[in-house]
């Protein structure tokens, strides 16, 4: 029996699709990476019985990066990144072992069906999967087709089964357009970012941003925000005057009239008009009109409109809204949320999704009436040829989804029902009055048929009092006429919704990437999100944009990126050559980069006005080992130490606190040590500012602290304080934190594992002796007699933190202790994963990457 491998983009998606296709008759197991499951069942494919294996990836399998030395900022001229620096595809998340997982599952398979998201990124992931799987699949026979692509827009039985029945092929051109975008963004972004980050962080201390990044889409996005800021700053309010009249209509009722001239900017002229009208006692009706008008129902919902409404009405940032929509999609509640289309195809089943809502407690009556009386065909919108508009596919309640997801789902559903509802119809009445020589108008609206506003009440016509019945020549008594003084107001800062509109209008980013670009300028501290989700540029964001304008306006204007996006779309359509577009665009930006570097003084002049030089920033903290003067600690991101006498800057670990470490000095360079801490429940370690930036030993890397230093005799080094191999990661060593008493801690120097131990001991030392069983260093612990937990009122004990039964009661290892070989069957299994490796200078952690997050096992430590 032949085997068909099927791959979806997310584990939850794979499970849903497999459940539909197998009709629930499937078996499931975890894959080797522990994240992706494999769902197996039997069926028919291409007219023959087969075994199906449905699994998934977790987004992109590969990511683009520079090779070797080109990832090191200090060793490469950023200009080389445009053409000379070679790139390679690396695993996007090495911890997932996705390539190996796909190869294990793909070995021996005869066919592959790709169920990746149906957009350009999805097509690109298709070919990443194929690159991993095709070489190990069974060889084809006589040119037999083995690669298939499923295209679908929602996770429903109908859509999934239809996609399986009409399998196509992955689109190589769309995948190439994504490759081109990735390479352009990598080369252009890294070159500009590295240059301006090194240049300005080496001169100014209060930039408050760890990275001064540039992005071909990110920078024009910031440009829109700063452009609005500049308009606000340059705005000069003007005073103007208006006439306001009030007439008596009926008993206890008056009408407020609007002046036809609207306003005048000369007070004397306004006073003249007031004088001409204030003596009049009556207002004469000049004309009346009554017109039936319609407020159109909305176009079908696409991604950009959903993001706009989520920000302006639901208070959800674009990235958060997109993530929420993707969860709703993978759970089968809505159709695919990334689409530029606002037009339903003629053959789209509109009544199907509508029937799903027929019993919903919030809108059942409206839906049932539409199904009974007949739906109104949606307005003709834009057909981008990608996916149908965003549509609710299943009924749901707030209890099912949670408050955040429910709010977005509710809007999507109400919007869909509104698109198949009728227009709102209302009667607009207008009365034109003359008071002396001046003309005034009064308008009123009366709803005839609410139409779609019944389901979208926030779009309803404002309730206004109906106007009295009158005709030309009738008169009304003037009760008041006065002159009001007002001022013009500046525009407000851009809202996220307005920014999304501008980005769409100018072709900056795609419906999928727009939220990412907005999130980036917030993360980089270029803008802050104010009340009403308005984006206010920071000093850094303003100076950067003004600097770009001063040197090369095209770096910040949307025109050049918009042109690049059009070229990328031509690649996707097969109308442009991938290599030619890539080469031409990189050549343009390389020339711009060289001009930018030569002209950086222009931006630097603006920086000098807004920011303080390094020498004038920060507070004295520790002494320099070269000149023995105090270096200043600059707390603003990125935190660092600066010696103004030597004009040297030393980078420090980020996202923690820094303080002087007992005025102790490094034996190698005489720099005073500082102590980095992530908080009382986290870890802390001393470090030498010079060694951390200029590693003294071959087995040390830049940024390492004393807990990774292999100096053979220094009392702060790994050699003196190391205990044994970390029980969670294979590359780390558990190191005693000598500053943590009386709540002592042992922490891994690679991952996040922290073990709390020996509380209330007044002294803990690492002994020169090692455990005879596991070779870990012994700990010597001294307690006060009054607080000693040791048996027999003992106050001192030396033993192994892993093997000594007395210490096991005093160390919060809990279940994690089972990782140690001594707790998995005794000394006969000393070669196990948890074997301690000693603490002497020979300890050399492997080059494997440390874990970024604690696993469930390591969580027991804290």
């Amino acid at each position: 029996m032949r085997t068909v491998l099927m791959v979806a983009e997310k584990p939850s998606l794979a499970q849903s699709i497999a459940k539909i296709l197998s009709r629930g008759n499937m078996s499931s197991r975890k894959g080797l990476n522990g994240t992706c499951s494999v769902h197996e069942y039997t069926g028919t494919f291409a007219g023959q019985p087969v075994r199906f294996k449905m699994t998934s990836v977790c987004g992109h399998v590969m990511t683009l990066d520079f090779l070797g030395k080109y990832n090191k900022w200090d060793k490469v001229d950023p200009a080389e990144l445009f053409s000379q620096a070679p790139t390679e595809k690396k695993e996007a998340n090495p911890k997932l072992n996705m390539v190996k997982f796909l190869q294990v599952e793909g070995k021996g398979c005869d066919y592959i069906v790709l169920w990746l998201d149906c957009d350009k990124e999805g097509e690109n992931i298709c070919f990443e999967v194929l690159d991993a799987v095709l070489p190990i699949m069974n060889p084809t026979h006589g040119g037999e087709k083995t690669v298939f692509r499923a295209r679908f827009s929602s996770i429903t039985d109908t859509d999934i089964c239809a996609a399986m029945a009409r399998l196509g092929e992955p689109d190589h051109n769309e995948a190439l357009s994504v490759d081109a975008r990735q390479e352009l963004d990598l080369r252009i972004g890294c070159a500009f970012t590295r240059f301006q980050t090194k240049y300005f962080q080496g001169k100014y201390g209060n930039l408050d941003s760890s990275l001064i990044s540039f992005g071909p889409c990110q920078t024009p996005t910031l440009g829109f925000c700063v452009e609005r800021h500049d308009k606000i700053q340059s705005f000069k309010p003007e005073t103007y005057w208006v006439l306001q009249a009030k007439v008596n209509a009926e008993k206890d009722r008056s009408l407020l009239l609007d002046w036809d001239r609207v306003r005048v900017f000369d007070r004397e002229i306004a006073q003249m008009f007031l004088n001409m009208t204030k003596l009049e006692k009556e207002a004469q009706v000049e004309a009346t009109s009554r017109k039936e008008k319609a407020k159109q129902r909305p176009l079908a919902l696409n991604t950009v409109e959903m993001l706009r409404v989520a920000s302006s009405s639901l208070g959800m940032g674009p990235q958060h809204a997109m993530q929420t929509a993707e969860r709703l999609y993978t759970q089968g509640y809505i159709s695919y949320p990334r689409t530029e289309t606002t037009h339903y195809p003629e053959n789209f089943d509109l009544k199907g999704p509508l029937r799903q809502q027929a019993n919903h407690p919030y809108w059942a009556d409206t839906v049932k009436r539409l199904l009974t009386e007949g739906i109104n065909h949606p307005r003709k919108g834009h057909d981008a040829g990608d996916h149908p508009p965003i549509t609710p596919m299943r009924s749901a309640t707030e209890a099912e989804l949670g408050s955040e997801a429910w709010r977005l789902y509710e809007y999507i559903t109400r919007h869909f029902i509104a698109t198949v509802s009728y227009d709102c119809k209302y009667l607009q009445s207008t009365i034109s009055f003359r008071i002396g020589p001046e003309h005034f108008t009064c308008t009123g609206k009366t709803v005839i048929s609410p139409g779609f506003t019944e389901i979208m009440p926030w779009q309803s016509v404002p309730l206004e009092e109906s106007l009295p019945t009158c005709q030309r020549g009738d008169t009304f008594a003037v009760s008041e006429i006065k002159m009001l003084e007002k001022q013009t107001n500046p525009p407000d800062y851009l809202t996220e919704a307005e920014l999304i509109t501008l980005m769409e209008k100018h072709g900056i980013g795609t419906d999928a990437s727009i939220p990412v670009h907005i999130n980036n300028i917030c993360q980089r501290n270029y803008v802050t999100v104010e009340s009403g989700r308005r984006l206010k540029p920071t000093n850094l964001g303003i100076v950067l944009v003004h600097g770009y304008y001063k040197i090369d306006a095209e770096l910040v204007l949307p025109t050049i990126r918009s042109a690049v996006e059009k070229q990328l779309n031509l690649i996707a359509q097969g109308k442009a050559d991938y290599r030619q577009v890539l080469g031409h665009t990189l050549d343009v930006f390389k020339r711009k980069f060289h001009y930018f570097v030569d002209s950086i003084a222009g931006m630097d002049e603006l920086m000098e006005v807004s920011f303080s030089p390094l020498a004038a920033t920060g507070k004295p903290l520790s002494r320099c080992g070269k000149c023995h003067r105090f270096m200043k600690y600059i707390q603003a991101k990125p935190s660092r130490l600066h010696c103004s006498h030597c004009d040297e800057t030393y980078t420090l670990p980020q996202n923690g606190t820094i303080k002087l470490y007992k005025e102790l000095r490094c034996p190698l360079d005489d720099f005073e040590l500082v102590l980095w801490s992530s908080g009382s429940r986290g870890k802390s370690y001393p470090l030498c500012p010079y060694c951390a930036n200029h590693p003294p030993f071959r087995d040390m890397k830049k940024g390492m602290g004393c807990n990774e230093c292999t100096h053979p005799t220094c009392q702060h080094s790994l050699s003196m304080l190391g205990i044994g191999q970390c029980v969670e990661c294979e590359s780390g060593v558990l190191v005693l934190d000598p500053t943590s008493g009386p709540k002592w801690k042992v922490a891994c120097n690679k991952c996040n594992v922290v073990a709390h131990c020996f509380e209330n001991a007044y002294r803990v030392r690492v002994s020169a002796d090692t455990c005879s069983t596991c070779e870990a260093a012994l700990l010597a612990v001294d307690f006060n007699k009054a607080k000693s937990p040791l048996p027999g009122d003992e106050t001192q004990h030396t033993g192994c933190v892993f093997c000594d039964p007395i210490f096991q009661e005093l160390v919060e290892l809990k279940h994690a202790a089972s990782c140690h070989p001594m707790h998995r069957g005794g000394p006969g299994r000393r070669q196990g994963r948890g074997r301690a490796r000693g603490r002497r200078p020979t300890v050399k952690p492997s080059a494997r990457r440390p874990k970024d997050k604690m696993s469930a096992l390591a969580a027991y430590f804290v």
Side-chain angles (χ1 to χ4, degrees), residues 659-720:
K659 61 182 180 181
L660 190 63
Y661 185 51
K662 304 177 183 178
E663 298 185 354
L664 298 172
R665 295 177 181 268
C666 174
L668 294 173
D669 48 50
D670 213 29
F671 274 71
E672 282 188 335
L673 303 182
V674 295
L675 184 73
W676 179 88
S677 173
S678 62
S680 59
R681 297 291 295 175
K683 62 191 214 179
S684 58
Y685 54 83
L687 68 118
C688 166
Y690 189 84
C691 291
N693 286 266
H694 305 89
F697 303 113
R698 286 183 179 179
D699 54 0
M700 287 184 66
K701 295 180 180 178
K702 197 170 181 179
M704 286 184 172
C706 296
N707 63 343
E708 295 183 80
C709 176
T710 51
H711 191 291
T713 59
C714 176
Q715 60 178 318
H716 317 294
S717 70
L718 171 66
S719 305
M720 293 290 111

Side-chain angles (χ1 to χ4, degrees), residues 266-398:
D266 190 312
R267 192 180 194 286
E268 292 183 1
I269 299 295
Q271 186 66 48
M272 178 191 74
F273 286 127
L274 178 64
N275 294 338
M276 292 165 64
T277 55
K278 69 179 180 181
L279 299 178
E280 298 291 331
K281 302 298 182 184
E282 291 183 336
Q284 186 174 356
V285 176
E286 291 279 288
T288 63
S289 69
R290 289 163 68 87
K291 290 182 180 177
E292 186 177 306
K293 293 194 170 184
K295 184 173 185 178
Q296 282 191 312
R297 61 198 181 282
L299 287 167
L301 186 64
N302 68 0
T303 306
V304 169
E305 181 62 19
M306 179 190 71
L307 296 177
R308 270 198 289 255
V309 173
S311 176
S312 61
S313 301
L314 306 181
M316 299 171 71
Q319 185 146 25
H320 177 48
M322 199 69 232
Q323 291 167 348
T324 305
E326 286 173 349
R327 281 200 304 275
L328 289 171
Y329 161 67
T330 57
Q331 293 166 357
Y333 290 107
I334 65 172
S335 63
Y336 192 60
R338 290 178 178 165
T339 177
E340 298 175 10
T341 295
T342 58
H343 176 71
Y344 282 107
E346 295 300 322
N347 61 350
F348 191 90
D349 179 17
L350 294 165
K351 289 186 178 180
L354 202 58
R355 288 191 193 98
Q356 291 283 332
Q357 308 295 334
N359 296 313
H360 197 283
Y362 283 12
W363 42 72
D365 292 344
T366 303
V367 170
K368 286 175 180 175
R369 189 166 60 251
L370 281 169
L371 290 170
T372 303
E373 298 176 0
I375 64 173
N376 190 17
H377 198 76
R379 290 167 56 195
K380 186 173 177 64
H382 169 65
D383 184 0
D386 48 0
H387 288 272
I390 304 169
T391 308
M393 305 309 295
R394 265 169 55 194
S395 183
T397 62
E398 185 172 1

Side-chain angles (χ1 to χ4, degrees), residues 298 411 414-416 418-419 451-460:
Y411 167 71
R414 288 183 180 275
H415 190 109
F416 168 70
T419 62
F452 78 94
T453 62
E454 187 178 11
I455 194 70
M456 297 178 81
W458 61 90
Q459 293 277 9
S460 59

